[in-house]
Amino acid sequence: MKFSENQIRLFRNLSVVSGIFTMVIAFTMIMSLIQLKTSDPLEDPALKSIIEQFDKDPENADIAENVRSLDLIARKAYFAARWQLETGSYLLLAGAILFVVFQWLSTGQEKSARGKLPPKPQITEEKERSKKYLIVFSSVFFILAVISSFALRPLLPAPGEAKKGIRSEETGKASAVLPVPDGINYPNFRGEGSRGIAGGEGYPTDWDGNTGKNIKWKVPVPKFGKSSPVIWGDKLFLTGAEGSVFEVYCYDKNTGDLLWTGTGSDFPGASKDVPETDEESGMAIQTPAVNKDAVCAIFANGNLVAYDHNGNLLWAKNLGMPEHTYGYTSSLLIYNDILLVQYDSELRLSVIGFDVKSGKQLWETSRRGKPVNSSPALGMFNGIPQVIINGSPEVTAFDVMTGKELWTINGVVNDVAVSPAVNNNFVYVSANYEALLAIKPDKSGATVGWSDNTYTPDVSSPAATDEFLFISDGTGAIACYKADSKEKLWENYFNSSFYASPIVAGGMVYFLDRDGVMHVVKASATYELVSESSIGEDTDSTPAFSEKRIYIRGEKNLYCISAD
Amino acid sequence: MLHKQKRLKVKYLNSKGKMIKKYSRYLPYFLIAVMLIWHSVLYAQQMRYPRPEFETQYTYPEYQYNYQRAPYWEYLDVAVLIAALSITSWLVIKKRSRQGIMWVSVFSLAYFGFYRQGCICAVGSIQNVSLALFNSDYSIPLSALLFFLIPLIFALFSGRVFCAGVCPLGAIQELTGFKKVKVNPKLEAVLGAIPYVYLGLAVLYSAVGSQFIICRYDPFVGIFRLGGPYTIIIFGALLLITGIYINRPYCRYLCPYGVLQGFFSRFSWKHLTITPAECRNCRLCEPSCPYGVILPSDNLKNTEVTEIGRKMKLIYGALILMMGLSLAYFFYNTAPLLARMDKRVSLAREIRLEKEKGIKAVSEAAQAFNESARTEEELFEEEVAVINRFRAGAPWVGLFLGLSLGIRFYRRIIRHPRTEYEPDRGRCVSCGKCFEYCPVKIKTE
Amino acid sequence: MEKRENNIKSRREFFRKAGRITLAVPLLSIPALLAKKAYSEVYVWQIDPYKCTACGLCKTSCVLTPSAVKCTNAYEMCGYCDFCPGFLRQGARAYDTGAENQLCPVGAIKRKFVEEPYFEYTIDEELCDACGKCVQACSDFGNGSLHLQIMHGLCVNCNQCRIARVCPSDAIKRVPADVPYMSKDLNKSITRKGAAQTKKTES
């Protein structure tokens, strides 16, 4: 094809025009792209702040209207940018094709002018140059290799690194110790880590609810519940329920004033269903758990709520109505910032870790077997903090941080309701008429250290120190085992039976029976009954210990017992 | 804390005679529980709220899933590839038609580029092949394997005809490069080394199962798809604009597949020739090649070409070997640095930094890791395993780079003088721009 | 001179032939090596909803804008809740379609009344940009029926999925093109669970 001068000039002009067109389109496209990727109109700060405003004043219809209109503008901007990109890309393509075609037509005709040719290369010169390069480059690379061996070798993992890495891991984890009971906070069912040991000392041993002796204060609890009190700082938390109304209570632990009441049944997504269970136990049977940020409470229908210490609802959800023949009863447990929920339902048997502050589910691990009524306890074996669950038929430990199953062993089977007692060497579990087992976790799993069937606690969970194991049971028996053997150091019987779990505090063991009588026994190898004191009211809840005071929830009232 | 079912058992102690009554109360629940256990697998998911039991005639909506074009179409792509390669071979070697090659380019750009959106592509298939060769658990799509092999087979027969007009990346640059700016031969040689490094790293990263870097930095895919990450689109556009003057910059200074094509093309059975008959050394073709791959005949005046002795050859051989081994050792030492691009290694580093120095790990990967059931031990073990894989692979990359550079020098040292103008078979992309510059014509019947 | 020239030429030809044969060997051995592993079915990318953490990278990392990933609802898992946590933002006071109560930034979730107290939630794919906010909320506070899937009508099936490269939980994998979706409905969860159990008994 041959074109005239004029035609070529026309092509050239057209190509310039299409080139400019393409550039403009490209520029606007890049701008829209950057706008879409960097400043998301949907993340508009103005919109965010107005939504915040709206949250503070949810009844204000004007603000709601503002949110709506601003939201509409943001979306319009977003979709306009998207539309620009879509159409722009086709325009860009068209412009580019035109540009190329016209350029091709206008320049393709010219043969490149034959300029001054360089002199022909001299083969010998080229060869000499190549020789020089070969020598230079080989020495440069050699030096590079030598330097790199000094500069970069330390980055290489040593051959045994994989194992070394794990070893250093272990020592790193060993420093992550379990929280020690501190005498002020009593954050879970059975105290810190749900291990049945209270910190501090100088707890009262003598009181009388009928005469008011050593009873610092006594307040009625608004709604019924079998849950036990927990304490953080100066605040004491309890739960109660009546009908389909569930509540969380916060008391001043020094005065007994009810500071605030939070709902456990009225939040978006709450279940209003009340599973048909024994009226005697009620819906507020699980003990709440508390840490520095929040108090979490769960109820028998799976409602799970978290309040901050001032009574503001942080989050709430329903875990689903547990399908459980006897009702769902497992108490909560908090380790650092992780809320551990033992969820027992025929439909879903698991242990779940939540972030205490946000309620975000961190992990969930399924368990095997059938639903039980025990509560989880915290242990530390092989340097890994673990949550230990007395299930049926397996006793299983899960890594608190990840939910990974660490070890499992066949334990007790029938009507499992006793929470494990944990010390530094053993995990003790029990079921009525079956056995009392001491399980020893080791590197490769767990073995049964010893077992006995003289005393088989049924409701009341045992408490263990590194020396002794204390049990109380439904027949009214109390006993002390040596921690590392089935040797019984002492035993005794009382007329009433025990549902509350024994707590070791200040060198004593506190056994609270169903009639409200506390049997205080020295925590030693020989039996020495220190005192027997009654609050004058039936009770099934486990007492709480904090700063030389004991807190007991009776059937109707909450008692603070103090020797001052 | 109280546990209800236990209470039943101890009732005989404080017996009030309610026991049997209590038990019978639970019987229906027990039966329901047994029935539900049967279904428990079904509901093992996190069903917080039960499935509604609709009373109205509500039916579940259809899923809004849609489907791609039928999968067997990928074999049409292979057929199109073979056809395009055959036609280009014929155009380059027999027909000597630059026009024809251009039209094939237009077709390839439209089909492989814009219609198939730059994927499936022979350049990227290098990575699938290397991943499949070194990882037993990856199986390669047959179409990717064919896209890797077929252009190389053609290269062995007729040179880099794939680059000439079939590769969409080549085609888009071929069609947009209409000015010729010659690049200084020394600069050209330095830039020309990049593809070797790129190829080595691409094979390394895919062989250790880390990532496909060729696909990650494919500059034109954004243009083919008319969208994508804007950094890549801008890079592609800049490359195209450069390509108007310095033609085919991607093919010359980046393309890793071009390196392989070059190896095969060097030994090809037939290859594009500048002149259809005998070269008259008229020097007319010299400025025609925009890529500077026309090798001129040598000026043999006043020069005595000497043969190189056996002893010198051995010395050169040793030097080349030293180059290879030095670079191999260098890369072996660099392996941990190279491994940092791997997402598993960078995650492990982030987690370790958080543990040791308290720098909060904020990346999405770190968050996902913290939520997962994986332990740090597992992560660190995997990190060491990945670094070790890099350590095993990296020396081969170094060896390849050192040897190929050494051999390049050696070839020049031992080469024989040229008496004709000929294309550099390794680098010539068979575009046919030189055809019309040659005054020698053969009479066609 | 003439003779020497011919000599060189024939030697060059010889080298070329030898090189051709040596190169043909690996070329033929690669398919031989990979013959067993090459598969002829076509695979496509898909998100495993059970691994996905809805981190939001699907929105930003896809080569397409908007992303080829879209949210879908597994209706058979959905609770049809009035207070759908995927539809309503946390803290919303009224359970209605007001913009001030919606969670979805693009308003892609459509709420339709079915019967008291159930609402149907469907996703307008045209609008959805795969930010995953609703997916996260639904799995944290609801039944987990909302999940992200790669829509194959949009996906260009890159050689290496750009999202897979950054996916923090390795949720994106290749699945056969015949079954290109990993729906989160109940039937699927049986097979998954069943598979997990058989694995356990084997080991």
Side-chain angles (χ1 to χ4, degrees):
Chain A
M1 283 181 286
K2 283 274 173 219
F3 293 107
S4 69
E5 279 294 301
N6 275 343
Q7 277 172 316
I8 286 175
R9 200 174 309 129
L10 178 70
F11 288 145
R12 194 168 295 146
N13 289 340
L14 280 173
S15 80
V16 168
V17 170
S18 54
I20 291 169
F21 172 76
T22 315
M23 293 294 271
V24 170
I25 297 281
F27 183 73
T28 38
M29 266 183 76
I30 288 171
M31 292 318 283
S32 325
L33 255 171
I34 290 173
Q35 197 194 344
L36 260 188
K37 298 265 169 177
T38 55
S39 62
D40 194 340
L42 302 171
E43 299 283 322
D44 186 29
L47 185 60
K48 279 204 167 149
S49 74
I50 200 161
I51 288 179
E52 247 167 60
Q53 250 181 49
F54 176 70
D55 279 345
K56 282 185 194 128
D57 185 11
E59 303 306 319
N60 193 327
D62 287 345
I63 303 185
E65 203 46 56
N66 270 342
V67 173
R68 287 177 198 181
S69 55
L70 212 60
D71 182 83
L72 189 66
I73 292 170
R75 281 191 221 175
K76 268 191 178 157
Y78 174 77
F79 286 108
R82 244 165 74 166
W83 179 85
Q84 274 171 19
L85 274 185
E86 253 162 61
T87 11
S89 53
Y90 287 104
L91 287 177
L92 189 74
L93 181 67
I97 288 176
L98 284 178
F99 177 66
V100 167
V101 168
F102 289 130
Q103 275 281 329
W104 189 29
L105 287 175
S106 62
T107 55
Q109 305 304 316
E110 315 161 9
K111 260 196 180 175
S112 49
R114 196 178 154 179
K116 214 178 144 198
L117 287 174
K120 277 196 174 182
Q122 210 71 30
I123 184 166
T124 40
E125 274 172 30
E126 195 191 313
K127 286 191 169 189
E128 284 309 311
R129 216 170 37 236
S130 299
K131 278 178 205 168
K132 203 175 74 196
Y133 282 152
L134 184 58
I135 292 163
V136 169
F137 271 96
S138 53
S139 36
V140 165
F141 287 159
F142 184 73
I143 292 165
L144 206 62
V146 172
I147 292 173
S148 75
S149 89
F150 289 109
L152 299 171
R153 280 308 305 246
L155 290 174
L156 285 183
E161 186 88 351
K163 277 184 194 139
K164 213 170 80 192
I166 291 166
R167 234 179 291 128
S168 68
E169 261 316 282
E170 271 176 17
T171 48
K173 280 241 171 109
S175 63
V177 285
L178 286 184
V180 180
D182 61 6
I184 299 170
N185 300 326
Y186 192 83
N188 300 304
F189 169 56
R190 303 197 295 147
E192 186 66 70
S194 194
R195 294 167 71 131
I197 296 179
E201 48 189 30
Y203 290 104
T205 53
D206 183 27
W207 63 84
D208 191 336
N210 295 321
T211 62
K213 182 188 175 193
N214 279 349
I215 305 287
K216 190 173 164 65
W217 52 259
K218 168 185 173 184
V219 291
V221 181
K223 287 192 170 56
F224 174 78
K226 297 271 176 180
S227 61
S228 309
V230 293
I231 294 166
W232 192 271
D234 285 333
K235 287 178 175 140
L236 180 144
F237 303 92
L238 263 188
T239 60
E242 251 172 47
S244 62
V245 179
F246 311 156
E247 282 171 348
V248 181
Y249 306 111
C250 172
Y251 289 92
D252 184 321
K253 79 171 184 187
N254 300 314
T255 62
D257 295 337
L258 180 61
L259 299 175
W260 53 262
T261 302
T263 176
S265 51
D266 183 23
F267 58 87
S271 169
K272 298 269 194 270
D273 298 345
V274 177
E276 197 170 326
T277 57
D278 198 339
E279 301 102 35
E280 232 184 283
S281 53
M283 291 292 100
I285 188 159
Q286 291 98 336
T287 302
V290 59
N291 75 354
K292 62 182 194 310
D293 301 310
V295 54
C296 305
I298 194 164
F299 297 89
N301 70 351
N303 279 358
L304 175 61
V305 294
Y307 285 91
D308 70 8
H309 288 225
N310 299 319
N312 300 314
L313 183 67
L314 293 175
W315 52 269
K317 59 176 97 186
N318 183 280
L319 297 180
M321 170 72 79
E323 288 288 340
H324 195 308
T325 319
Y326 300 119
Y328 170 52
T329 64
S330 301
S331 294
L332 298 176
L333 180 60
I334 290 182
Y335 171 78
N336 291 347
D337 295 325
I338 302 178
L339 171 69
L340 301 155
V341 179
Q342 175 184 342
Y343 187 81
D344 280 86
S345 166
E346 304 280 4
L347 308 182
R348 173 181 172 203
L349 198 61
S350 67
V351 52
I352 314 168
F354 293 100
D355 181 49
V356 169
K357 271 195 215 161
S358 66
K360 198 171 161 49
Q361 182 172 318
L362 303 173
W363 49 262
E364 173 168 10
T365 309
S366 293
R367 288 157 43 215
R368 295 170 295 273
K370 53 186 188 187
V372 294
N373 289 81
S374 62
S375 295
L378 211 54
M380 167 84 97
F381 297 101
N382 298 325
I384 304 169
Q386 45 201 271
V387 51
I388 298 159
I389 289 172
N390 184 16
S392 170
E394 293 174 4
V395 179
T396 315
F398 303 89
D399 188 325
V400 171
M401 308 305 292
T402 62
K404 196 177 143 183
E405 191 176 308
L406 297 169
W407 54 263
T408 184
I409 185 168
N410 276 337
V412 285
V413 182
N414 292 324
D415 295 340
V416 173
V418 172
S419 309
V422 185
N423 64 17
N424 286 327
N425 305 307
F426 288 97
V427 172
Y428 303 91
V429 297
S430 147
N432 202 16
Y433 303 129
E434 202 177 335
L436 173 66
L437 298 177
I439 292 162
K440 187 162 180 53
D442 51 38
K443 295 263 174 209
S444 54
T447 51
V448 173
W450 55 266
S451 77
D452 187 52
N453 53 14
T454 324
Y455 296 105
T456 51
D458 42 12
V459 178
S460 169
S461 306
T465 65
D466 282 346
E467 274 178 282
F468 308 114
L469 172 69
F470 302 102
I471 63 103
S472 56
D473 70 16
T475 65
I478 64 168
C480 170
Y481 284 83
K482 258 176 106 167
D484 52 3
S485 73
K486 58 192 260 186
E487 186 185 333
K488 282 179 284 292
L489 294 170
W490 48 259
E491 55 213 315
N492 199 20
Y493 287 89
F494 297 102
N495 285 330
S496 183
S497 59
F498 293 93
Y499 274 13
S501 302
I503 300 293
V504 182
M508 315 279 180
V509 195
Y510 289 79
F511 295 98
L512 181 60
D513 70 24
R514 298 198 70 196
D515 297 334
V517 178
M518 183 77 89
H519 309 270
V520 186
V521 181
K522 271 252 168 77
S524 64
T526 50
Y527 180 72
E528 190 182 331
L529 184 67
V530 176
S531 66
E532 287 183 299
S533 317
S534 170
I535 54 163
E537 185 177 334
D538 285 358
T539 177
D540 290 333
S541 303
T542 299
F545 293 73
S546 173
E547 297 190 281
K548 302 190 177 171
R549 290 177 195 147
I550 303 173
Y551 299 85
I552 299 175
R553 180 190 203 165
E555 203 138 48
K556 300 201 163 55
N557 298 297
L558 175 66
Y559 295 83
C560 170
I561 297 154
S562 168
D564 339 317
Chain B
M1 183 68 150
L2 177 78
H3 302 291
K4 280 159 272 177
Q5 87 278 32
K6 288 290 101 191
R7 194 177 317 125
L8 308 177
K9 286 268 172 146
V10 297
K11 274 278 143 85
Y12 74 94
L13 282 166
N14 8 352
S15 175
K16 285 163 196 153
K18 281 200 292 188
M19 203 167 144
I20 293 167
K21 202 177 140 202
K22 280 242 164 184
Y23 264 127
S24 59
R25 217 186 109 192
Y26 288 114
L27 190 66
Y29 293 106
F30 178 71
L31 289 175
I32 290 168
V34 170
M35 278 153 67
L36 280 171
I37 289 171
W38 189 247
H39 282 104
S40 63
V41 190
L42 246 160
Y43 286 86
Q45 287 304 313
Q46 46 188 42
M47 291 288 283
R48 293 199 177 94
Y49 307 103
R51 273 173 78 175
E53 284 156 24
F54 295 109
E55 279 154 21
T56 51
Q57 290 293 310
Y58 177 78
T59 46
Y60 287 112
E62 286 285 301
Y63 284 120
Q64 299 151 312
Y65 295 154
N66 46 36
Y67 296 87
Q68 249 176 339
R69 65 174 204 169
Y72 50 79
W73 274 63
E74 282 197 12
Y75 295 98
L76 176 75
D77 296 343
V78 176
V80 171
L81 176 77
I82 294 175
L85 282 169
S86 314
I87 291 169
T88 319
S89 299
W90 177 71
L91 286 170
V92 166
I93 288 161
K94 276 268 145 60
K95 185 86 166 78
R96 294 172 58 78
S97 160
R98 165 83 186 142
Q99 263 321 302
I101 295 169
M102 292 291 271
W103 284 117
V104 174
S105 296
V106 170
F107 168 76
S108 304
L109 180 60
Y111 185 79
F112 291 114
F114 287 101
Y115 177 60
R116 296 293 291 125
Q117 305 197 305
C119 246
I120 186 166
C121 118
V123 185
S125 70
I126 297 172
Q127 303 162 120
N128 302 67
V129 171
S130 99
L131 182 60
L133 280 178
F134 297 103
N135 289 271
S136 49
D137 51 347
Y138 175 78
S139 40
I140 182 172
L142 189 61
S143 51
L145 183 60
L146 292 175
F147 258 75
F148 175 76
L149 289 175
I150 293 169
L152 290 180
I153 292 169
F154 270 87
L156 214 49
F157 282 99
S158 48
R160 292 173 68 169
V161 287
F162 175 72
C163 303
V166 183
C167 176
L169 304 176
I172 191 170
Q173 295 175 94
E174 183 67 51
L175 294 175
T176 52
F178 24 75
K179 297 273 199 292
K180 282 175 208 164
V181 175
K182 288 246 171 159
V183 179
N184 177 314
K186 275 189 188 143
L187 183 62
E188 175 85 34
V190 172
L191 291 175
I194 299 172
Y196 287 81
V197 182
Y198 196 17
L199 172 68
L201 292 181
V203 170
L204 176 66
Y205 275 100
S206 50
V208 301
S210 179
Q211 54 174 316
F212 282 9
I213 54 174
I214 301 178
C215 293
R216 192 175 169 190
Y217 299 110
D218 185 341
F220 299 122
V221 81
I223 292 171
F224 294 150
R225 289 171 184 168
L226 304 174
Y230 63 91
T231 43
I232 288 295
I233 294 186
I234 292 171
F235 176 48
L238 284 178
L239 216 55
L240 274 190
I241 292 167
T242 319
I244 295 174
Y245 307 98
I246 301 166
N247 298 174
R248 284 191 183 241
Y250 181 77
C251 306
R252 285 152 81 186
Y253 310 133
L254 282 171
C255 182
Y257 195 62
V259 175
L260 293 180
Q261 283 278 329
F263 285 153
F264 285 82
S265 168
R266 236 173 251 293
F267 301 104
S268 67
W269 178 53
K270 288 263 160 77
H271 193 274
L272 167 143
T273 52
I274 300 166
T275 167
E278 193 157 344
C279 177
R280 297 178 192 162
N281 281 312
C282 65
R283 301 193 78 177
L284 276 173
C285 61
E286 219 167 292
S288 72
C289 184
Y291 319 116
V293 298
I294 293 181
L295 299 173
S297 58
D298 287 301
N299 180 2
L300 291 172
K301 271 180 220 157
N302 315 325
T303 41
E304 190 51 48
V305 180
T306 47
E307 282 283 329
I308 293 160
R310 188 175 289 265
K311 202 171 146 196
M312 282 313 283
K313 277 185 181 166
L314 275 175
I315 291 173
Y316 292 140
L319 280 177
I320 295 169
L321 203 62
M322 188 173 91
M323 266 172 110
L325 292 177
S326 304
L327 271 193
Y329 187 61
F330 173 72
F331 268 81
Y332 175 77
N333 288 335
T334 337
L337 285 181
L338 294 172
R340 281 187 196 174
M341 283 254 291
D342 186 276
K343 72 171 174 183
R344 293 160 291 187
V345 175
S346 60
L347 172 64
R349 264 168 64 80
E350 194 180 356
I351 298 289
R352 188 158 342 93
L353 276 180
E354 182 180 52
K355 264 186 69 164
E356 287 171 2
K357 304 220 170 88
I359 302 164
K360 194 99 184 83
V362 288
S363 72
E364 306 277 3
Q367 280 172 22
F369 170 76
N370 287 335
E371 284 173 27
S372 74
R374 292 179 67 208
T375 63
E376 286 175 2
E377 284 97 326
E378 282 167 2
L379 179 71
F380 293 146
E381 254 179 87
E382 190 182 24
E383 180 200 15
V384 173
V386 172
I387 293 182
N388 281 335
R389 295 203 72 182
F390 269 93
R391 194 156 57 148
W396 297 103
V397 177
L399 191 69
F400 160 74
L401 291 179
L403 291 184
S404 48
L405 188 66
I407 289 168
R408 199 159 156 184
F409 291 135
Y410 183 68
R411 263 207 345 259
R412 296 213 181 152
I413 296 172
I414 60 158
R415 84 170 171 86
H416 296 288
R418 280 183 295 266
T419 52
E420 292 188 337
Y421 273 77
E422 54 187 80
D424 179 341
R425 286 187 162 204
R427 285 157 65 216
C428 170
V429 293
S430 305
C431 68
K433 276 186 182 142
C434 48
F435 290 157
E436 56 184 81
Y437 287 79
C438 186
V440 182
K441 301 277 182 257
I442 42 166
K443 278 180 197 139
T444 43
E445 287 131 50
Chain C
M1 194 73 186
E2 189 90 334
K3 201 177 168 198
R4 185 190 146 93
E5 200 109 297
N6 281 339
N7 211 355
I8 290 167
K9 261 200 175 146
S10 65
R11 197 149 58 163
R12 198 178 280 170
E13 267 315 306
F14 170 75
F15 272 124
R16 222 160 246 166
K17 208 170 216 173
R20 201 148 57 227
I21 290 161
T22 29
L23 280 178
V25 171
L27 204 56
L28 293 175
S29 60
I30 285 178
L33 269 173
L34 297 180
K36 271 194 189 151
K37 288 166 71 184
Y39 53 79
S40 45
E41 318 104 280
V42 177
Y43 278 63
V44 293
W45 296 102
Q46 193 49 274
I47 299 172
D48 182 346
Y50 297 94
K51 279 184 166 183
C52 173
T53 57
C55 62
L57 285 177
C58 285
K59 177 190 169 185
T60 50
S61 300
C62 185
V63 293
L64 302 176
T65 316
S67 171
V69 176
K70 302 285 170 201
C71 177
T72 57
N73 193 358
Y75 298 106
E76 300 207 0
M77 274 181 79
C78 180
Y80 287 77
C81 312
D82 178 18
F83 47 83
C84 176
F87 179 75
L88 299 161
R89 72 186 172 88
Q90 239 184 331
R93 307 291 159 125
Y95 306 157
D96 61 27
T97 53
E100 70 277 12
N101 298 323
Q102 284 196 30
L103 174 69
C104 181
V106 287
I109 306 182
K110 302 287 174 240
R111 171 184 164 106
K112 200 180 98 189
F113 177 74
V114 181
E115 62 177 60
E116 200 57 48
Y118 301 127
F119 287 83
E120 178 194 280
Y121 297 92
T122 46
I123 286 100
D124 186 342
E125 279 180 26
E126 286 289 303
L127 304 181
C128 177
D129 68 351
C131 67
K133 286 189 174 118
C134 57
V135 176
Q136 203 158 34
C138 181
S139 44
D140 278 358
F141 297 100
N143 276 2
S145 66
L146 292 176
H147 60 290
L148 295 170
Q149 286 286 281
I150 294 175
M151 290 298 151
H152 293 297
L154 303 165
C155 176
V156 288
N157 205 14
C158 300
N159 200 2
Q160 188 185 38
C161 174
R162 216 177 159 82
I163 316 171
R165 196 175 58 73
V166 294
C167 178
S169 48
D170 283 325
I172 301 190
K173 55 186 179 191
R174 285 197 176 276
V175 296
D178 314 335
V179 267
Y181 289 96
M182 299 184 75
S183 157
K184 213 178 168 183
D185 60 16
L186 292 166
N187 301 329
K188 278 278 167 61
S189 61
I190 294 176
T191 53
R192 265 179 62 82
K193 175 108 181 175
Q197 276 173 348
T198 41
K199 221 174 182 183
K200 210 154 234 174
T201 47
E202 272 165 18
S203 60

